Amino acid sequence: MRAAIIERPGEIRIGTVPDPEPGPGEVVVRVGACGICGTDLRIADGEFPPTPYPIVPGHEFAGEVVALGAGVPETTGLREGSRVAVDPSLFCGRCEFCKLGRGNLCSNWNAIGDTVNGAFAEYVAVPAANAYPLPGHVSYREAALIEPVSCAVHGIHRLLPRLGDSFLIVGAGTMGLLLLQLALRGGASRVAVADLNPHRLELATRLGASETARDVRELREREPLGFDCAIDATGAARAIEQAFDAVRRGGKLMVFGVAPREARVSLSPFRIYNDEITVLGSMAVLHSFGPAVDLVASGAIDTGLMLTEALPLEGFPRALEMVRHGEGVKTQVLPNG
Ligand SMILES: [Zn+2]
Ligand SMILES: [Zn+2]
């Protein structure tokens, strides 16, 4: 089959690899659409430590089941022709964290497209348990958005906002715009959004942002008491510090964006103490894929606005450059045309 292969950091090839065979408990999915994100860029650049090379990346995908391995239980409802979205998480199920129900923190963490071959290919083998059947009205392109939605759902599950909370979201890329929609859906009274890119601010406004600005400090000035919930969706140290400064007394700061491992920020411990501020993180997907399927199916996400360009498999290097330069919102690859 045809696939996008990262041979080693910086070396990408569109070529042929053996077709995947379904192992016990697995199904093979003919990929309908696969989204590209910052993690793929880090994998291509050699900045995602768990990734072994060569690898076929691609962890945001949906498609059609074309083969079932031995022992796929009938209760999964999966058969040849089933339309599915796939949770890429591969938790070991045996470590201390998995046993506590926190599989996303698994000591032996793996994920399809990050540590084993993924979906920038015509076909991909996945555990049947990771495949979620799709309602007929959800297209593969829409369904390939479910994985980033499930990351945002986990973020909101972690944040536990209260009805009527005010929000600040720093960063209006795919994740910031998804968090905006979920915050509003979850009962935010208003959501202010900051981003350097004016086009993205315009999208945020169309999705219901109460106000937008290029500079967080400008939004902070308009909100004298600060925001109940501030989310950084950039991973930039300066943005995290500004988001922290914009948290209201008793409020919460969530670090959602991926910062470089060696990055450091300066936060006032006096404020954390005196203003009872909660600082928390959110990593990938946990018990949030099913809810994300339901949210996309019910129209909670404006997929028409989120999904921008779709490229053939040969366009994978171009798609990476689009992520690198912040072009479009969610770019996808359609490996089977
Ligand atoms: Zn992703
Ligand atoms: Zn584990």
Side-chain angles (χ1 to χ4, degrees), residues 137 181 185 293-303:
H137 70 278
Q181 293 170 79
R185 187 84 174 186
V293 173
D294 294 341
L295 283 160
V296 168
S298 68
I301 301 298
D302 185 339
T303 52

Side-chain angles (χ1 to χ4, degrees), residues 37 39 59-60 147:
C37 82
T39 300
H59 59 272
E60 303 178 358
E147 195 276 345

Side-chain angles (χ1 to χ4, degrees), residues 11-37:
E11 193 184 322
I12 301 163
R13 169 172 82 85
I14 311 296
T16 306
V17 296
D19 285 355
E21 296 287 338
E26 289 186 341
V27 298
V28 170
V29 173
R30 183 177 189 268
V31 180
C34 184
I36 190 158
C37 82

Side-chain angles (χ1 to χ4, degrees), residues 21 27 45 54 75 77 125 216 240 257 263 273 287 325 329:
E21 296 287 338
V27 298
D45 291 350
T75 48
V216 177
I240 294 166
Y273 146 77
H287 309 147
H325 298 114
V329 186

Side-chain angles (χ1 to χ4, degrees), residues 45-84:
D45 291 350
E47 291 167 2
F48 195 74
T51 300
Y53 298 90
I55 191 162
V56 175
H59 59 272
E60 303 178 358
F61 63 101
E64 181 190 339
V65 172
V66 291
L68 288 86
V72 173
E74 215 158 291
T75 48
T76 60
L78 298 174
R79 60 182 71 87
E80 281 180 34
S82 292
R83 302 171 70 258
V84 295

Side-chain angles (χ1 to χ4, degrees), residues 35-40 42 58-60 88 114 144 147-148 151 174-175 330:
I36 190 158
C37 82
T39 300
D40 299 303
R42 282 189 285 279
H59 59 272
E60 303 178 358
D114 294 338
E147 195 276 345
C151 293
T174 304
M175 296 319 300
K330 177 55 74 183

Side-chain angles (χ1 to χ4, degrees), residues 6 53 60 80 99 103 113 169-170 236 240 249 261 323 325:
I6 300 176
Y53 298 90
E60 303 178 358
E80 281 180 34
K99 284 194 270 186
I169 296 175
V170 185
I240 294 166
R249 300 192 78 183
R261 206 169 270 255
V323 175
H325 298 114

